[in-house]
Amino acid sequence: MKISKIYTYPIKGIREAELNSVVVTQHGFPYDRRYMLLQVLEDGSLKNMAIAAYPAMSRYIPNLNFPQDGDVLKGTFTVTFKPQEGDARTVDIPLRPKTESLERVEVTMHRSPTNAYKMPEQYNDFFSSTFGFACVLVYLGTDMRKVLMSTDGNKQASAAAPSSWLSSLSSKATQLVVGGAGDPDRRITFADCAPYLVVSDKSMDDVHSRMSDGEQYDIVKFRPNIIVTGAAEVWEEDFWAELTINGTTKIECEHNCARCRSLNIDFATGEPGTGEAGSMLKKLATNRRVDPGMKWSPVFGRYSFLHPSSEGHAIKVGDEVVVSRRNDERTKFDWEGLHTLPK
């Protein structure tokens, strides 16, 4: 098997940015879901925005911009809003903004709270004007959310030295970007439950078989970080416990990912889909509700964590992937205080 695609999502809920290579850290890719959008309600309170409830988020497309001098702390990403009618609009956002003078905002996702930084008005104005209602953009910084899965997947770091950093990232710069390593508690960004979502494109054979007239379904709607190609069987990833990339980088696949109605969104319109693709959640629910911890939701993909010995490794498209450990049975999802995960 090999890595066929790598994706990062700078702002939770908007579209993906495709990468050819990336550094892996305990908190995910360096710029994955470090930002989040919140709607400002009439009473002044803030509501988390996710693509399932705000399908227009699929009309916002990010592009990463790294400076030629390799100083990633000066990097930006451009978000392009593409309406169904009219001209596209763009805004440039720093990958790592200066936070000293920014207002703190408490954000709670799936009962796991954190403090984030409210970005300056120029960014909030862009998103408010394009969405058509007041919203704010917040940046996570280094105050990560706690993982509330009861299963403790922490492993003792081995004595093996990490592989080389990508040329565009020095170890010092990466630590500044992603925060310090070695946190005894597992922490995540604005990703739902885990730093990584790994999927197998072989299982798309089964997904496509549910469509009529040869219609194809876009795997990106499952919002993966790493797509693996070359698996022998559909759904074999349900039993993956550990993947090893290029013989050194270990990804621990700990829990199934339950899917929500975001699967039914038409990315071309930014609205709930019609036809076959617009009912994918229901189609998968016929026989993919295979996790008793989330018995009402179909499963696609594995929530995954980085083994501590692999901190700072670089991976790229085309890298070899082997299943270095398998489970005899499917894992059962759990999250402290929740029977099913809200979306």
Side-chain angles (χ1 to χ4, degrees), residues 7-9 197-199 219-227:
Y7 293 114
T8 191
Y9 305 82
L197 179 63
V198 179
V199 306
I219 194 173
V220 174
K221 291 186 180 182
F222 292 105
R223 306 186 70 75
N225 293 110
I226 299 172
I227 301 179

Side-chain angles (χ1 to χ4, degrees), residues 174-194:
T174 301
Q175 186 175 11
L176 288 170
V177 171
V178 303
D183 188 337
D185 293 324
R186 292 192 299 177
R187 301 278 173 170
I188 50 175
T189 62
F190 289 133
D192 279 331
C193 300

Side-chain angles (χ1 to χ4, degrees), residues 33 55 72 79 111 142 144 152 154 163 169 181-182 204 212 237 247 265 304 306 309 321:
R33 297 174 175 92
V72 296
V79 175
R111 299 192 179 186
T142 58
M144 303 288 172
D152 184 359
N154 284 323
S163 64
L169 291 171
M204 293 301 292
S212 61
E237 66 273 20
I265 294 170
S304 301
L306 185 71
S309 66
V321 179

Side-chain angles (χ1 to χ4, degrees), residues 152-166:
D152 184 359
N154 284 323
K155 305 291 189 301
Q156 295 297 316
S158 73
S163 64
S164 299
W165 298 91
L166 293 177

Side-chain angles (χ1 to χ4, degrees), residues 10-74:
I11 301 177
K12 177 179 173 58
I14 74 167
R15 292 288 296 274
E16 74 287 348
E18 186 172 352
L19 303 171
N20 183 62
S21 57
V22 69
V23 164
V24 290
T25 82
Q26 63 174 322
H27 303 310
F29 297 150
Y31 304 109
D32 191 61
R33 297 174 175 92
R34 305 291 163 141
Y35 283 93
M36 186 172 178
L37 287 160
L38 310 173
Q39 181 180 2
V40 182
L41 302 181
E42 291 185 0
D43 62 1
S45 61
L46 301 175
K47 179 182 178 181
N48 298 355
M49 293 176 63
I51 192 170
Y54 298 83
M57 298 180 85
S58 64
R59 307 299 300 161
Y60 294 77
I61 302 171
N63 183 64
L64 300 178
N65 312 306
F66 294 109
Q68 292 184 351
D69 64 7
D71 186 352
V72 296
L73 301 185
K74 298 177 183 177

Side-chain angles (χ1 to χ4, degrees), residues 230-306:
E233 303 288 341
V234 298
W235 308 123
E236 71 170 70
E237 66 273 20
D238 289 1
F239 301 93
W240 291 351
E242 179 187 81
L243 300 178
T244 299
I245 302 171
N246 269 354
T248 58
T249 303
K250 295 186 180 298
I251 302 290
E252 307 289 337
C253 304
E254 292 201 6
H255 281 285
N256 300 312
C257 179
R259 313 314 309 204
C260 67
R261 65 182 183 274
S262 65
L263 297 186
N264 297 338
I265 294 170
D266 184 345
F267 280 10
T269 64
E271 297 176 355
T274 58
E276 298 284 339
S279 59
M280 182 51 67
L281 183 65
K282 182 178 180 179
K283 289 178 179 296
L284 287 177
T286 58
N287 65 348
R288 286 297 298 161
R289 293 188 296 176
V290 295
D291 190 318
M294 302 172 290
K295 61 181 180 179
W296 304 115
S297 300
V299 164
F300 191 109
R302 298 287 284 159
Y303 281 132
S304 301
F305 295 81
L306 185 71

Side-chain angles (χ1 to χ4, degrees), residues 140-159:
L140 183 60
T142 58
D143 192 0
M144 303 288 172
R145 297 167 49 236
K146 188 174 182 179
V147 175
L148 298 182
M149 293 174 183
S150 64
T151 302
D152 184 359
N154 284 323
K155 305 291 189 301
Q156 295 297 316
S158 73

